[in-house]
Amino acid sequence: MATQLPTTDIRIGAELIRCRKGGTPLVCLTAYTYPVARLLDRHVDLLLVGDSVAMVLHGHETTLGASLEMMIAHGQAVMRGSARACVVVDMPAGTYEDSPAQAVVSARRIVGETGCQAVKLEGGVGMAGQIAAIVAAGIPVMGHIGLLPQSVEKDGGYKIKGRTDENVAALIADALAVEKAGAFSVVIEGTIEAVAADITRRIVIPTIGIGASSDCDGQILVIDDMVGLTVDRVPKFVKEYADLRSVIAQAAQRYASEVRSRTFPGPSHIFSSTNGGDEA
């Protein structure tokens, strides 16, 4: 029977996420900053400090622009802004692939400097040794299979997975390898719906879908995509629940107009010599 997550401000750990297999779908979103973490914390089960921050906040073309220092800084901000959600921090490209020993050193630094509940890394069969080593070091690991953003240059772009029998077999092998290595959950990204659903049925750890299947044990989206703040192309699998692009643009337009007409700041936004008790 699936374990219900606490409704208080008790921090959710990786084991509680693992126990949600087959239960009420897990609600996951990315977060990169303190204020956004504050806003999301009460509504989600898991916050991912994704290496997508390199693209979303820092303007890089791919996630390869993320560094360990960048992930730690944003992980610290999200931990300060959250009290309940399980916080997972992405391991950026180049910090774990070379060897299990390298992976453990990087994972220990992330957890030690942020206090997050787990780390996430990309790859299946080829990264099973790294996952097992990190888990053996006492750090929970979330896996990531299917479309791997850190491998887009090698793959020649963002290509949907699971279109051929060979690729389906490889995806299943990756999922089983991640599970066997000890991961507490696995993200399935950019994968044909039926394949993602089949993988979800095959493995005993929760699957978190993004561009995958509603049959996954949970879903995740990039927060900026979800609230309509993305200024470049929005992926097909994204549903925009708000249109902050228009809200921000209209607010900036109104502000500019009032500054140029000298209607801002007005009387209620300035300090006079007689109201010394005012606070900034």
Side-chain angles (χ1 to χ4, degrees):
M1 180 179 294
T3 300
Q4 293 301 308
L5 294 175
T7 56
T8 64
D9 284 345
I10 299 172
R11 178 76 72 175
I12 298 166
E15 190 56 35
L16 274 175
I17 299 295
R18 183 199 297 271
C19 290
R20 284 288 291 277
K21 177 70 179 181
T24 303
L26 291 156
V27 178
C28 314
L29 284 168
T30 67
Y32 317 113
T33 64
Y34 169 83
V36 169
R38 284 282 303 270
L39 291 170
L40 300 183
D41 189 50
R42 70 179 63 188
H43 303 290
V44 304
D45 303 312
L46 185 148
L47 290 172
L48 173 66
V49 186
D51 57 2
S52 49
V53 67
M55 302 170 70
V56 174
L57 295 189
H58 294 273
H60 291 277
E61 292 188 2
T62 71
T63 63
L64 298 179
S67 66
L68 199 59
E69 290 71 24
M70 183 187 293
M71 300 311 304
I72 289 170
H74 288 284
Q76 290 169 338
V78 170
M79 282 297 294
R80 293 186 197 107
S82 63
R84 176 182 177 274
C86 179
V87 176
V88 180
V89 177
D90 259 337
M91 299 186 71
T95 66
Y96 62 90
E97 301 95 318
D98 288 350
S99 69
Q102 180 202 32
V104 170
V105 169
S106 298
R108 280 178 171 157
R109 184 176 171 196
I110 290 171
V111 173
E113 295 187 33
T114 68
C116 68
Q117 284 64 64
V119 297
K120 181 173 77 65
L121 60 79
E122 296 183 8
V125 173
M127 290 297 120
Q130 279 83 336
I131 294 172
I134 297 171
V135 172
I139 299 172
V141 177
M142 171 182 277
H144 187 150
I145 64 172
L147 191 160
L148 305 179
Q150 293 178 7
S151 300
V152 292
E153 292 185 356
K154 180 177 66 177
D155 289 349
Y158 294 90
K159 297 183 178 179
I160 301 303
K161 305 300 181 181
R163 296 191 186 278
T164 67
D165 291 343
E166 180 181 9
N167 188 234
V168 170
L171 285 168
I172 293 172
D174 282 340
L176 293 172
V178 167
E179 175 189 49
K180 184 177 180 180
F184 72 93
S185 61
V186 59
V187 171
I188 305 178
E189 180 170 358
T191 298
I192 295 297
E193 194 278 336
V195 178
D198 182 46
I199 290 173
T200 298
R201 289 188 290 268
R202 285 175 181 259
I203 62 176
V204 299
I205 59 174
T207 58
I208 310 299
I210 177 167
S213 171
S214 60
D215 285 340
C216 288
D217 298 297
Q219 300 295 326
I220 188 165
L221 285 175
V222 170
I223 182 61
D224 293 64
D225 291 344
M226 191 273 281
V227 298
L229 194 55
T230 301
V231 295
D232 298 314
R233 187 185 71 86
V234 177
K236 175 184 177 180
F237 55 75
V238 170
K239 179 176 180 179
E240 293 185 332
Y241 287 81
D243 180 16
L244 294 193
R245 286 186 299 272
S246 296
V247 171
I248 292 173
Q250 290 166 8
Q253 183 181 38
R254 291 190 353 249
Y255 168 71
S257 176
E258 291 188 9
V259 168
R260 289 169 181 143
S261 65
R262 297 188 184 278
T263 56
F264 177 82
S268 62
H269 304 109
I270 57 177
F271 306 100
S272 68
S273 60
T274 60
N275 58 0
D278 288 352
E279 295 183 358

